[in-house]
Amino acid sequence: MVEANKEAVIAIQGGGVYALSLLGQARAVLEHGYVPLAFAGTSGGAILACLLWSGLSPRQIQAEFTDMVKADPSALVKLLAQFEPPPDPEFNFASFVDLQAQLQAALRSIPTGEPDNAGLFRKAIKFVPNTYKAAGKVKNLWRLWRLVQPHIPRRGLFRGSELEGLIERLIRKGFGEIAGMPPVGDPITFGKVFELMKLNPGFYRAPLLLTATNLSRRRLELISSVDPHYLGMSIAAAVRASAGFPIFFRPWECLVNEWFVDGGVISNFPIWTFSDAFRHQVARSEFYSTLAWRPWVRIGLRVVDDVVAPDDVRQPGVFLRAIVGMLTGAARNQLEEVLAGLSTRSIVIRQPTSNTGGPGVLAVGAVTEDVIGDMVQRGYDEAQRELACTGAPGVYKPDRDAVITARLKLLVDKCQRAIGTTVEAKFRANIFIPVQNSLRMVYSYNMEGDSDKDLVFPSLSMGVTGACYQLSTALVCNLAKVARLRLEQPDTYKALFEMPAALQDKVKKDRTWLMSTPIFDPQEVRVVATRTHAAVPVASALGMCLRGPVLGVLNLDAAWDYEKIELNPDSDVHSGDVRIRAIADIMQAQALTIGPELAT
């Protein structure tokens, strides 16, 4: 039976203080056995994604923030640093946080309409006091505006340098004691992380994607550790840019003459970043190419608005509140919800804001030790409920042995008819599945008692099977020629196939021919116009116009005498033989039918 594969890419939405609830969600996801292949985040989600990416566990992250507020209840406010220039005594952090509430109160005070049949007197007695109240609210907002106005030349209230410093410190803590770490004060860049990965065997950090809004170019910027354009960028500065709530934080210059603010201005839930374009970008990476065509589960962590009855927008105040809400994010959130629904093999945790226990998006001054514990636990509980409902699925379906074995038997029977019923081919079929960084034979037919049944390749690139998996194209190989190469040129053989002698000795000795075909993920496979296939020594590419994540490799081997069946032993010309071409077509058709049986 295929082992559970819960490799996942994790996207975390923005949400300010609500990131504490998202932290609880992340803890539940990881406890369910999901293995992160990449992280993406926006704003508060970018902070959380970066800290998880650095190597800190959810419990460690919670402990860091808990210890901060235990030592100093105003520690989170101090991360923002002081107002510059010095504020009016009447305008403090609490006053700023109250701005949104006062704006909403002013909108609610706008007089509502009266039915057309209402008397003039009734309209008057409703209109006058409501107008007076609204005027009072507007006066208060005007007073606050005068207090905020001195900060406008600086384009924001807070520098955010203290926040950047905290992120830098926690990244270092997540990395631990490794060789080559830059001295404190020298920011860690994406390029430096790759240097550390080269210098320290076993040290690995997955791709990290952060969304930010590039004000200078008026576009969404996807700051990616996979993109060479950002190699020189400080990771902490990129997180600070992604979390730079406009007006609250000043824009941040991450690139020369390019200023950034919160990524949530355009995209607050970056699950869309794990797209086909991302796979192609990863495929070109020196460090992450093995991830490019792996199947994965997409996991999204969200805090969403509560479901409420539709507003009656015939009322002027309700109409204005609806317009302001749409302009400040409701429309964007709805679009991203649609995009999340289009993501294949995805699990999205949607926690209502009313169930977070949070004091408000920007109310960092109200975050205490108890609030942290409560919000994290609520997020954890919400994710546990969702994962219990979905069954916390992985990539592969469980208990498919009988179905897949029947498919392999059908494959062998069809291929025997294609090569000719008078030919003693002794076909065998099997399927190798990637398990972490190895290829494991999980399903087989006609291999009972054979020494190579249940073979495991400790590398994803080992042998012809590994080459098929890495190149995601069908290959055909003369195994008799490979056997001669092993005896006559052992060094060349080892360099080509990477197979140790003990492993090669397990392969059944009578095998003379092998065809390997990738099994594509049915949820993401697509037809491409043309594909160029890299040359493979000893094996020959048959050419495929399919592309997508590879679930495994379907193998068919045989023991035949090339001369007796009148087949040219040169595998480069096998595609010209009608029998081999027919077998190749049968293999591809069976691989396409096995994919849906194999994967969730």
Side-chain angles (χ1 to χ4, degrees), residues 257-459:
N257 286 329
E258 295 190 29
W259 295 83
F260 293 77
V261 296
D262 198 305
V265 171
I266 298 177
S267 174
N268 201 42
F269 181 45
I271 198 168
W272 56 268
T273 59
F274 299 119
S275 62
D276 190 63
F278 173 70
R279 287 188 180 278
H280 281 280
Q281 191 175 47
V282 166
R284 298 189 295 271
S285 168
E286 175 185 358
F287 300 94
Y288 303 126
S289 58
T290 57
L291 299 179
W293 303 110
R294 294 188 79 120
W296 54 45
V297 179
R298 290 174 173 83
I299 295 180
L301 309 183
R302 300 204 75 178
V303 172
V304 298
D305 293 332
D306 291 79
V307 177
V308 295
D311 290 326
D312 181 4
V313 295
R314 292 175 297 179
Q315 304 296 340
V318 176
F319 170 76
L320 286 176
R321 291 200 301 274
I323 289 295
V324 170
M326 294 296 287
L327 291 176
T328 56
R332 173 205 61 205
N333 289 340
Q334 182 62 30
L335 175 60
E336 291 183 327
E337 189 65 27
V338 172
L339 291 176
L342 297 176
S343 296
T344 58
R345 198 179 289 113
S346 63
I347 302 170
V348 180
I349 313 297
R350 298 176 178 88
Q351 182 177 3
T353 53
S354 62
N355 192 34
T356 62
V361 174
L362 299 177
V364 292
V367 175
T368 64
E369 178 185 355
D370 290 340
V371 168
I372 292 174
D374 182 49
M375 292 187 70
V376 171
Q377 187 62 45
R378 286 172 180 249
Y380 177 83
D381 293 341
E382 187 70 31
Q384 288 282 32
R385 283 191 289 271
E386 177 64 27
L387 293 170
C389 289
T390 61
V395 172
Y396 299 101
K397 295 176 184 174
D399 306 323
R400 307 303 290 169
D401 297 50
V403 174
I404 302 301
T405 300
R407 293 287 185 187
L408 294 180
K409 180 182 184 304
L410 181 62
L411 168 68
V412 166
D413 292 344
K414 286 184 174 182
C415 290
Q416 182 64 65
R417 289 196 293 271
I419 199 69
T421 55
T422 60
V423 175
E424 189 180 9
K426 299 179 182 177
F427 282 123
R428 306 183 311 169
N430 57 64
I431 296 174
F432 279 78
I433 299 294
V435 180
Q436 295 181 349
N437 291 318
S438 66
L439 283 170
R440 185 183 303 272
M441 186 189 297
V442 177
Y443 302 105
S444 62
Y445 175 73
N446 227 15
M447 295 185 70
E448 292 301 324
D450 291 349
S451 57
D452 51 356
K453 189 177 185 296
D454 303 325
L455 206 63
V456 177
F457 294 144
S459 165

Side-chain angles (χ1 to χ4, degrees), residues 164-173 176-177 180-188 192:
E164 183 180 346
L166 172 69
I167 299 300
E168 176 77 19
R169 178 178 69 80
L170 293 180
I171 289 174
R172 290 173 177 271
K173 187 168 185 176
E177 297 295 330
M181 281 283 283
V184 175
D186 186 1
I188 299 174
K192 187 62 180 179

Side-chain angles (χ1 to χ4, degrees), residues 98-347:
D98 196 43
L99 274 173
Q100 183 178 8
Q102 294 197 44
L103 176 60
Q104 292 293 332
L107 289 174
R108 285 193 296 269
S109 298
I110 293 176
T112 60
E114 285 288 337
D116 291 339
N117 60 357
L120 182 62
F121 177 74
R122 182 180 172 187
K123 290 181 179 179
I125 61 174
K126 292 282 288 183
F127 179 80
V128 173
N130 282 345
T131 303
Y132 178 78
K133 291 177 182 177
K137 295 294 184 182
V138 172
K139 180 180 179 182
N140 289 337
L141 288 175
W142 176 251
R143 179 181 59 82
L144 288 172
W145 167 253
R146 291 180 61 190
L147 296 172
V148 171
Q149 192 275 334
H151 302 279
I152 290 178
R154 294 176 180 267
R155 298 165 298 161
L157 299 172
F158 303 107
R159 290 178 57 84
S161 54
E162 295 294 327
L163 175 62
E164 183 180 346
L166 172 69
I167 299 300
E168 176 77 19
R169 178 178 69 80
L170 293 180
I171 289 174
R172 290 173 177 271
K173 187 168 185 176
F175 282 9
E177 297 295 330
I178 56 174
M181 281 283 283
V184 175
D186 186 1
I188 299 174
T189 63
F190 289 115
K192 187 62 180 179
V193 173
F194 294 143
E195 292 178 18
L196 295 173
M197 287 165 61
K198 288 180 178 178
L199 191 60
N200 297 271
F203 176 78
Y204 172 82
R205 290 298 178 269
L208 175 65
L209 296 85
L210 308 169
T211 63
T213 300
N214 188 326
L215 281 181
S216 302
R217 297 185 181 274
R218 295 166 181 78
R219 71 184 186 193
L220 181 68
E221 193 98 9
L222 182 59
I223 301 172
S224 167
S225 63
V226 181
D227 191 334
H229 182 64
Y230 303 104
L231 289 179
M233 182 180 288
S234 160
I235 300 170
V239 173
R240 154 66 182 85
S242 179
F245 194 87
I247 307 302
F248 192 75
F249 284 114
R250 298 178 192 172
W252 210 239
E253 188 181 22
C254 289
L255 300 172
V256 177
N257 286 329
E258 295 190 29
W259 295 83
F260 293 77
V261 296
D262 198 305
V265 171
I266 298 177
S267 174
N268 201 42
F269 181 45
I271 198 168
W272 56 268
T273 59
F274 299 119
S275 62
D276 190 63
F278 173 70
R279 287 188 180 278
H280 281 280
Q281 191 175 47
V282 166
R284 298 189 295 271
S285 168
E286 175 185 358
F287 300 94
Y288 303 126
S289 58
T290 57
L291 299 179
W293 303 110
R294 294 188 79 120
W296 54 45
V297 179
R298 290 174 173 83
I299 295 180
L301 309 183
R302 300 204 75 178
V303 172
V304 298
D305 293 332
D306 291 79
V307 177
V308 295
D311 290 326
D312 181 4
V313 295
R314 292 175 297 179
Q315 304 296 340
V318 176
F319 170 76
L320 286 176
R321 291 200 301 274
I323 289 295
V324 170
M326 294 296 287
L327 291 176
T328 56
R332 173 205 61 205
N333 289 340
Q334 182 62 30
L335 175 60
E336 291 183 327
E337 189 65 27
V338 172
L339 291 176
L342 297 176
S343 296
T344 58
R345 198 179 289 113
S346 63
I347 302 170

